[in-house]
């Protein structure tokens, strides 16, 4: 017992040192916005020059930029006049802080595992070693994100190559249009309360076009950031430029405009040194003298605009977030029903029904969606709406929700079987139940430390839509959903050891890199589809659920 306490005390001692190390190195006399600006220059140079984009390291560099931005707000005084001229000494310091912040991010992944018993630590002098146990879905998020974001990058590069003879402004507008419609989202105009989607979208589109102008420059320089210069990549608006931004927002209410703009501007949450907000969720930096500056890589290559917006609200205005999230979730079930009806017209879909759960205190439970085909094969879908958690605590909480859903699934399936007579008569089903399976549908997040259940797959909404589009019957929908747990664990990662000096210790870490062969095969599989999307003239918006469902089926089937 004493030995265990001694180990815990040592873990806490080391953790306290690493948590204080970087913020203590930051000189409080440095002007805040000038420091944040130079951190962004360093981020661009490192990520582009070292080809960090789409690697497992990228998330650590993004955290580093968020962390350095956060501690700058905590420790540095904001200057009255923003001086964005290049400072060699400050750049060298910011460059080192971004590198150190990346190392800190890797350590931040490990210490929560130590506290939860999922890893152990061994100290030999100033050397520290870790032994991390296997995490069931450790790389699920990376693989999913990589597949989407690599396809986005390849789409933009393909389009850039196709439009070589166009003038730069026309290229930027076309790339922006492709970017906006790349993501499959489910938000509508009224979701952006109290202002409209047009108001929020006007601001977002302005900065996407600005980012695409810089992406186009980078593409024409063959991604040689040294010859282009990271200063030319940064988006920088003077007071006059910010006034021109107002013209992109249709609302006549200046207060709503200010609110929509503020929802895009970074503001630290809390007084602790750990950042609760990512710069990707609020990518604009504002200064006292009216400047706004932003990093185009942060804007373009992280997540969809809608997801970033909801992640921002989740942390800064949870009440508004919950209202919007509930509305989005309510639209998922009708969309699934419409897709199923269109693809398999002989099926019966039963949404929001109740069944009795034997031997439970709450013996009546509302269930989300049951689908039955003409042969008695049935799928029960439990609909969740989990966005990606940002911290270990959030991850642990959402993982617990997914684990709970998995544990409840056998009871729910059993209850459906036991109550089949009532369900059959109530919903006028003309067949006996021959086979029943469950699927958990999460918006995006598939779990981290959640066991892989061979009977009940956890899939994203996009995974489900694709399975419906490709299937010939309801059984194939289920088998298609199960493929995620068959494929993802087989994706090969190459492991290497990394030693880094941090806060007086030499940490020995293990890093993982995606097998290059997977990247080659992914791009090859996407090439034809991406070219088709770049040249497509299909509609980008839809008037009703039926049209949207049909569009999803056509897109995923192709």
């Amino acid at each position: 017992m004493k030995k265990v306490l001694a180990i815990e005390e040592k873990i806490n001692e080391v953790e306290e040192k690493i948590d204080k190390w970087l913020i203590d190195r930051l000189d409080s006399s440095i002007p805040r916005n000038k420091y944040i600006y130079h951190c962004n220059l360093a981020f661009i140079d490192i990520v582009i020059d070292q080809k960090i984009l789409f690697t497992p390291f990228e998330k650590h560099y993004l955290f580093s930029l968020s962390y350095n931005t956060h501690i700058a707000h905590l420790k540095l005084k904001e200057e009255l006049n923003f001086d964005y001229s290049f400072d060699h000494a400050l750049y060298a310091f910011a460059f080192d802080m971004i590198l150190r912040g990346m190392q800190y991010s890797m350590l931040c992944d490990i210490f929560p595992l130590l506290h939860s018993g999922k890893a152990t630590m061994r100290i030999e002098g100033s050397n520290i070693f870790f032994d991390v146990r296997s995490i069931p879905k450790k790389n699920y998020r990376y693989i999913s994100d990589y597949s989407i974001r690599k396809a986005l990058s390849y789409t933009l590069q393909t389009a850039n190559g196709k439009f070589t003879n166009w003038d730069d402004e026309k290229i930027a507008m076309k790339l922006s249009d492709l970017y906006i419609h790349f993501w499959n989202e489910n938000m509508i105009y009224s979701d952006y309360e109290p202002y409209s989607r047009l108001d929020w979208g006007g601001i977002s589109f302005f900065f996407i076009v600005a980012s695409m102008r810089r992406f186009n420059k980078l593409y024409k320089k063959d991604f040689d950031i040294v010859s282009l210069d990271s200063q030319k990549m940064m988006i920088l608006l003077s007071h006059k430029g910010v006034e021109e931004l107002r013209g992109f927002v249709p609302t006549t209410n200046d207060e709503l405009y200010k609110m929509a703009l503020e929802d895009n501007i970074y503001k630290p949450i809390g007084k602790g040194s750990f950042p609760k907000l990512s710069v990707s969720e609020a990518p604009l930096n504002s200064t006292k003298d009216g400047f706004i500056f932003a990093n185009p890589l942060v804007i373009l290559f992280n997540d969809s605009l809608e997801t970033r917006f909801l992640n921002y609200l989740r942390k800064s205005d949870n009440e508004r977030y919950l209202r919007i999230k509930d509305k989005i979730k309510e639209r998922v079930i009708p969309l699934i029903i419409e897709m199923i009806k269109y693809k398999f017209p002989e099926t019966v879909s039963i949404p929001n029904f109740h069944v009795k759960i034997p031997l439970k205190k709450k013996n009546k439970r509302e269930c989300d969606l049951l689908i039955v085909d003409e042969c008695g094969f049935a799928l029960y879908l439990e609909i969740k709406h989990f966005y990606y958690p940002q911290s270990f605590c959030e991850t642990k909480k959402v993982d617990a929700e997914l684990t709970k859903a998995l544990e409840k699934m056998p009871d729910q399936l059993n209850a459906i079987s036991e109550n089949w007579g009532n369900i059959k008569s109530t919903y006028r089903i003309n067949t006996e139940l021959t086979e029943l399976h469950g699927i958990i549908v999460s918006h995006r997040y598939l779990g981290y430390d959640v066991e892989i259940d061979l009977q009940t797959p956890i899939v994203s909404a996009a995974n489900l839509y694709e399975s419906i589009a490709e299937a010939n019957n309801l059984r194939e929908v289920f088998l298609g959903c199960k493929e995620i747990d068959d494929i993802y664990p087989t994706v090969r990662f190459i492991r290497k050891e990394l030693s880094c000096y941090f806060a007086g210790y030499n940490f020995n870490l293990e890093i993982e890199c995606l097998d290059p062969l997977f990247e080659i095969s992914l791009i090859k599989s996407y090439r034809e589809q991406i070219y088709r999307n770049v040249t497509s003239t299909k509609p980008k918006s839809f008037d009703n659920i039926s049209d949207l469902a049909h569009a999803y089926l056509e897109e995923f089937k192709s």
Side-chain angles (χ1 to χ4, degrees), residues 113 118 133 135-138 386-389 391-407 440 445-451 458:
L113 298 176
K118 294 178 172 60
R133 78 161 175 79
I135 306 293
K137 296 187 175 183
K138 179 182 178 182
F386 295 136
Y387 279 87
Y388 284 137
S391 66
F392 185 82
C393 289
E394 286 184 359
T395 300
K396 191 174 179 180
K397 182 179 178 181
V398 180
D399 279 356
E401 290 289 326
L402 286 175
T403 298
K404 183 179 177 182
L406 283 173
E407 291 171 347
I440 296 170
Y445 181 64
L446 305 181
Y448 174 68
D449 193 13
V450 177
E451 292 299 327
I458 300 174

Side-chain angles (χ1 to χ4, degrees), residues 160-168 170-171 220:
N160 240 130
K162 185 176 183 297
F163 308 138
T164 303
N165 296 326
W166 294 11
D167 67 74
D168 288 343
K170 190 175 179 182
I171 291 174
K220 289 183 175 180

Side-chain angles (χ1 to χ4, degrees), residues 46-74:
I46 293 169
V47 166
I48 298 298
D49 187 60
Q50 298 300 311
K51 298 178 173 57
I52 300 296
L53 275 178
F54 315 117
T55 72
F57 285 105
E58 184 188 1
K59 74 162 190 172
H60 296 299
Y61 279 103
L62 182 67
F63 173 89
S64 177
L65 184 59
S66 298
Y67 175 76
N68 277 283
T69 302
H70 179 71
I71 62 173
H73 279 269
L74 291 185

Side-chain angles (χ1 to χ4, degrees), residues 22-32 35 71-72 75-77 90 93 97:
L22 284 181
I23 194 168
D24 286 349
R25 293 181 79 218
L26 185 58
D27 183 351
S28 60
S29 67
I30 299 174
R32 179 197 297 170
Y35 175 71
I71 62 173
K75 190 171 180 179
L76 305 183
K77 185 178 179 181
L90 182 56
F93 177 71
M97 288 290 279

Side-chain angles (χ1 to χ4, degrees), residues 420-519:
W420 186 250
N422 291 332
I423 293 172
K424 184 180 174 184
S425 60
T426 302
Y427 298 101
R428 298 179 182 178
I429 298 172
N430 299 319
T431 183
E432 293 301 324
L433 184 64
T434 58
E435 198 170 337
L436 175 64
H437 297 281
I439 299 172
I440 296 170
V441 183
S442 176
H443 178 69
R444 290 279 293 280
Y445 181 64
L446 305 181
Y448 174 68
D449 193 13
V450 177
E451 292 299 327
I452 297 172
D453 190 315
L454 298 179
Q455 303 302 319
T456 305
I458 300 174
V459 298
S460 69
N463 297 148
L464 175 64
Y465 301 158
E466 186 172 3
S467 295
I468 293 171
E470 293 179 347
N472 294 307
N473 52 56
L474 209 54
R475 180 185 295 278
E476 289 185 6
V477 172
F478 176 65
L479 295 176
C481 288
K482 280 174 63 66
E483 281 184 355
I484 292 294
D485 291 329
D486 294 333
I487 295 172
Y488 277 20
T490 65
V491 175
R492 185 167 173 259
F493 283 79
I494 300 169
R495 291 179 171 83
K496 294 182 179 179
E497 290 184 356
L498 173 70
S499 179
C500 68
Y501 178 84
F502 196 95
Y505 298 100
N506 190 49
F507 292 98
N508 295 272
L509 307 172
E510 183 182 77
I511 60 171
E512 291 184 316
C513 300
L514 189 65
D515 188 335
L517 292 177
F518 177 81
E519 179 177 343

Side-chain angles (χ1 to χ4, degrees), residues 90-289:
L90 182 56
Y91 174 80
F93 177 71
F95 193 97
D96 184 63
M97 288 290 279
I98 290 294
L99 289 176
R100 298 294 186 183
M102 179 275 293
Q103 296 170 347
Y104 178 54
S105 175
M106 297 179 72
L107 293 170
C108 286
D109 280 356
I110 291 177
F111 274 81
L113 298 176
L114 293 172
H115 292 303
S116 60
K118 294 178 172 60
T120 57
M121 184 176 83
R122 188 176 83 257
I123 301 177
E124 296 178 2
S126 62
N127 289 294
I128 295 181
F129 302 86
F130 300 100
D131 183 20
V132 181
R133 78 161 175 79
S134 177
I135 306 293
K137 296 187 175 183
K138 179 182 178 182
N139 291 315
Y140 269 44
R141 175 177 177 176
Y142 173 73
I143 298 168
S144 178
D145 277 1
Y146 175 88
S147 301
I148 295 170
R149 294 167 64 251
K150 192 69 176 179
L152 171 60
S153 173
Y154 195 76
T155 297
L156 296 177
Q157 291 182 59
T158 300
N160 240 130
K162 185 176 183 297
F163 308 138
T164 303
N165 296 326
W166 294 11
D167 67 74
D168 288 343
E169 192 60 19
K170 190 175 179 182
I171 291 174
M173 292 298 292
K174 179 61 179 177
L175 292 177
S176 300
D177 184 61
L178 283 170
Y179 179 89
I180 289 289
H181 295 108
F182 175 86
W183 303 96
N184 294 315
E185 292 292 336
N186 194 18
M187 292 180 73
I188 60 176
Y189 288 95
S190 62
D191 288 343
Y192 295 81
E193 54 176 72
Y195 47 82
S196 76
R197 181 177 183 176
L198 287 174
D199 301 324
W200 181 82
I203 294 169
S204 300
F205 192 71
F206 178 93
F207 284 99
I208 289 169
V209 173
S211 298
M212 287 304 177
R213 292 187 187 113
R214 287 147 182 84
F215 179 85
N216 183 37
K217 288 179 183 177
L218 192 61
Y219 177 83
K220 289 183 175 180
K221 289 285 186 180
D222 198 24
F223 293 87
D224 182 356
I225 192 62
V226 175
S227 64
L228 178 60
D229 186 353
S230 54
Q231 293 180 85
K232 293 179 182 177
M233 283 291 291
M234 286 294 289
I235 300 167
L236 180 63
L237 298 183
S238 65
H239 183 72
K240 184 179 179 181
V242 175
E243 287 181 347
E244 292 176 0
L245 171 62
R246 178 67 180 89
F248 284 76
V249 181
T251 182
T252 57
N253 187 321
D254 285 339
E255 290 304 313
L256 288 183
Y257 162 71
K258 289 177 183 176
M259 185 176 182
L261 182 59
E262 285 295 321
D263 281 345
N264 287 275
I265 292 174
Y266 183 90
K267 295 172 285 293
I269 298 174
K271 295 184 178 180
S273 63
F274 192 88
K276 294 182 179 178
L277 186 69
S278 169
V279 292
S280 68
E281 294 156 358
L284 308 186
N285 297 275
S286 66
T287 72
K288 275 189 176 180
D289 52 343

